[in-house]
C-alpha cells in the first residue's frame, strides 16, 4: 500500500513537473516579441523610358533605370492575440538606394539616390501550438512607402539639361518620388531557444511601383522642362532577427 502511495506521489510530481515545463516555450495571448537584425532589400525592378511631359511631350528612346540592393538595421514587434494569431510591426533605419542608368542612360552611370521609408503592419498565422520551439508562419499586410534625401548626380543633371537644349551648368534638375501604399506577402519561421530568446527568419514580397518627376529650371529658377520616369521596384525583403519575448 505504501509502495502504491509512493508511486502515485511520484507520478503526480512528474505530471506537475511536466505541466510546469510545458509553458516554458508556450506562446500565448498577450505575449510581446521584440526583434532586431538584418534587413536586406533586393528589388526585382523594371522601368519605362524617360518621358518628357512638358513643354513638348516626347520619349527618350531606349532609356531605363535600375535600382540597387540595400541593407539596413531592422526592428520589429509582434503581439500574440492567441497562440496562433499575431500582429507584427516592422520598422528600421531607412535604407539608401542607388538609381543606375540603363540602356541609353547606361553611360551616365549612377543617376541618383534616395532613402526609402516603409513601415509595415502584418497579420500573421503561426503553425503548430504554443509549446513548439520551431514554428513556421505566413503573413499578409501592407506598407506605406515614401522617400527622402532624393538627390541626382551631375551626370543625370547634364543629360536632362541637354534635353532642354541648355549647357549642363546652366540648368538645375530636382526630383520627387511618389509615395504609395503597397500590399506585403510574408512567409518564414521562428525558433525559440528558451522562454525569452529566439531567432526569426522571414521573406516578404512587396509589389511596389513609383514615379519620379524631374523638374528642370534655369539657374535663376525659370522652368524649362518637366519629365518623368516610372519604376517597378517589387522588392524581395529578407529579415533575420534575434528576438526577445516578454
Amino acid at each position: 500500500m505504501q509502495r502504491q502511495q509512493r508511486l502515485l506521489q511520484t507520478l503526480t510530481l512528474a505530471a506537475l513537473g511536466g505541466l510546469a515545463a510545458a509553458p516554458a516555450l508556450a506562446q500565448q495571448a498577450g505575449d510581446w516579441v521584440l526583434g532586431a537584425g538584418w534587413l536586406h532589400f533586393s528589388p526585382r525592378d523594371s522601368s519605362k523610358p524617360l518621358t518628357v511631359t512638358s513643354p513638348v511631350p516626347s520619349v527618350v528612346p531606349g532609356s531605363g533605370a535600375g535600382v540597387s540592393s540595400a541593407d539596413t538595421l531592422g526592428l520589429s514587434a509582434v503581439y500574440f492575440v492567441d497562440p496562433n494569431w499575431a500582429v507584427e510591426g516592422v520598422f528600421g533605419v531607412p535604407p539608401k538606394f542607388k538609381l543606375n542608368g540603363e540602356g541609353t542612360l547606361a553611360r551616365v552611370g549612377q543617376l541618383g539616390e534616395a532613402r526609402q521609408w516603409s513601415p509595415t503592419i502584418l497579420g500573421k498565422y503561426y503553425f503548430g501550438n504554443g509549446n513548439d520551439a520551431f514554428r513556421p508562419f505566413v503573413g499578409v499586410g501592407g506598407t506605406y512607402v515614401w522617400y527622402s534625401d532624393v538627390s541626382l548626380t551631375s551626370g543625370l543633371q547634364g543629360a536632362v539639361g541637354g534635353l532642354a537644349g541648355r549647357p549642363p551648368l546652366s540648368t538645375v534638375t530636382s526630383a520627387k518620388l511618389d509615395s504609395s501604399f503597397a500590399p506585403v506577402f510574408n512567409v518564414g519561421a521562428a525558433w525559440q531557444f528558451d522562454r525569452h530568446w529566439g531567432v526569426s527568419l522571414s521573406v516578404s514580397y512587396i509589389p511596389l511601383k513609383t514615379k519620379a518627376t524631374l523638374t528642370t529650371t534655369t539657374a535663376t529658377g525659370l522652368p524649362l522642362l518637366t519629365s518623368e520616369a516610372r519604376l517597378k521596384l517589387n522588392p524581395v525583403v529578407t529579415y533575420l532577427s534575434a528576438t526577445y519575448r516578454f
Side-chain angles (χ1 to χ4, degrees), residues 153-163 166-168 171 173:
T153 63
S154 58
L156 182 60
Q157 294 269 356
V160 178
L163 294 176
R166 295 295 187 97
T171 62
T173 301

Side-chain angles (χ1 to χ4, degrees), residues 132-158:
D132 295 338
F134 180 79
R135 303 192 70 188
F137 57 76
V138 294
V140 65
T143 180
Y144 181 69
V145 182
W146 73 96
Y147 302 89
S148 66
D149 301 331
V150 181
S151 63
L152 304 179
T153 63
S154 58
L156 182 60
Q157 294 269 356

Side-chain angles (χ1 to χ4, degrees), residues 5 24 40 94 105 107 139-141 153 183 206 213 220 222 239 245-246:
Q5 288 177 341
H40 177 71
L105 289 177
R107 58 183 177 78
V140 65
T153 63
I206 307 174
T213 301
T220 58
L222 180 66
Y239 181 38
R245 182 173 60 187
F246 293 91

Side-chain angles (χ1 to χ4, degrees), residues 109-121:
Q110 184 177 329
L111 305 179
E113 60 185 22
R115 289 194 180 276
Q116 177 179 298
W117 301 72
S118 51
T120 300
I121 297 294

Side-chain angles (χ1 to χ4, degrees), residues 166-173 215-224:
R166 295 295 187 97
L169 295 179
S170 68
T171 62
V172 176
T173 301
T215 303
T216 303
T217 64
T218 64
T220 58
L222 180 66
L224 290 175

Side-chain angles (χ1 to χ4, degrees), residues 9-233:
Q9 290 173 349
T10 300
L11 293 174
T12 301
L13 290 172
L16 291 174
L19 289 174
L25 295 176
Q27 282 153 341
Q28 53 193 347
D31 278 358
W32 282 94
V33 180
L34 303 183
W38 170 60
L39 265 176
H40 177 71
F41 292 78
S42 180
R44 300 295 187 264
D45 57 301
S46 62
S47 66
K48 292 186 177 181
L50 181 65
T51 302
V52 177
T53 56
S54 177
V56 180
S58 63
V59 175
V60 181
S63 60
V67 180
S68 66
S69 298
D71 299 282
T72 191
L73 170 67
L75 303 171
S76 58
V78 180
Y79 177 76
F80 278 85
V81 180
D82 64 24
N84 294 101
W85 290 97
V87 178
E88 180 179 33
V90 184
F91 316 93
V93 177
K96 180 178 287 187
F97 291 94
K98 295 180 180 180
L99 185 66
N100 301 306
E102 295 181 349
T104 55
L105 289 177
R107 58 183 177 78
V108 178
Q110 184 177 329
L111 305 179
E113 60 185 22
R115 289 194 180 276
Q116 177 179 298
W117 301 72
S118 51
T120 300
I121 297 294
L122 295 168
K124 301 176 71 174
Y125 182 83
Y126 285 76
F127 296 94
N129 62 69
N131 294 321
D132 295 338
F134 180 79
R135 303 192 70 188
F137 57 76
V138 294
V140 65
T143 180
Y144 181 69
V145 182
W146 73 96
Y147 302 89
S148 66
D149 301 331
V150 181
S151 63
L152 304 179
T153 63
S154 58
L156 182 60
Q157 294 269 356
V160 178
L163 294 176
R166 295 295 187 97
L169 295 179
S170 68
T171 62
V172 176
T173 301
S174 60
K176 179 182 180 299
L177 294 171
D178 285 353
S179 304
S180 62
F181 286 98
V184 180
F185 305 96
N186 177 261
V187 63
W191 185 15
Q192 200 70 30
F193 298 143
D194 57 27
R195 178 66 181 90
H196 296 292
W197 292 100
V199 295
S200 178
L201 174 64
S202 69
V203 177
S204 298
Y205 175 70
I206 307 174
L208 175 65
K209 58 184 178 181
T210 187
K211 180 180 72 175
T213 301
L214 310 179
T215 303
T216 303
T217 64
T218 64
T220 58
L222 180 66
L224 290 175
L225 189 77
T226 302
S227 53
E228 66 180 35
R230 295 180 180 271
L231 302 170
K232 286 185 178 181
L233 303 177

